[in-house]
Amino acid sequence: MARTFQLEIIATDRVFFKGECEHLVITAIDGLLGIMAGHEPLVTCLPTGELKYMVNGEWKYAAISEGFIQVMPEKSVILADSCELPEEIDIKRAEEARQRAEEKLRQKQSIFEYYQTQAALNRAMNRLKISQKHFK
């Protein structure tokens, strides 16, 4: 079994990462998912969360929003709405987005608007968490 596998992380605005990876840990809809070379094939949805992947023995972290992952024994592909390194996150903008979403949640909304606002709040909170946890 190979030590590495090909990993592609594709966000709507760019190819975030493409290269060899030793280990991948990502939040899936039913919990944390750890992936190494030779993993059994699977496809699953990804909620907003943290992405952690090891390249050349070093862990790298990113904030990822909703998407999908396809895992094959030699390659994994992640398609996500957005993916950002901790140092790319604009903390002020994320904080403003959090405040806007919290204020909007206090207002009367349709169920559809409520779910959209809750998703926006989750994205903002995730970005803040990842930036504070991993940006040095």
Side-chain angles (χ1 to χ4, degrees), residues 1 3 8 21 32-33 39 42 45 51 54 57 60-62 71 76-77 82 89 94 99 114-116:
M1 182 172 10
R3 284 193 64 232
E8 288 184 50
C21 177
L32 284 179
L33 181 62
H39 195 285
L42 74 92
C45 296
L51 166 72
M54 184 182 283
K60 300 184 182 287
Y61 301 89
V71 178
S76 292
V77 178
S82 67
I89 296 171
Q99 290 172 358
Y114 172 80
Y115 286 127
Q116 283 186 319

Side-chain angles (χ1 to χ4, degrees), residues 20 22 32 34 49 53 67 81 87 89-90:
E20 292 295 312
E22 298 158 36
L32 284 179
Y53 58 103
D81 288 340
E87 57 269 20
I89 296 171
D90 183 339

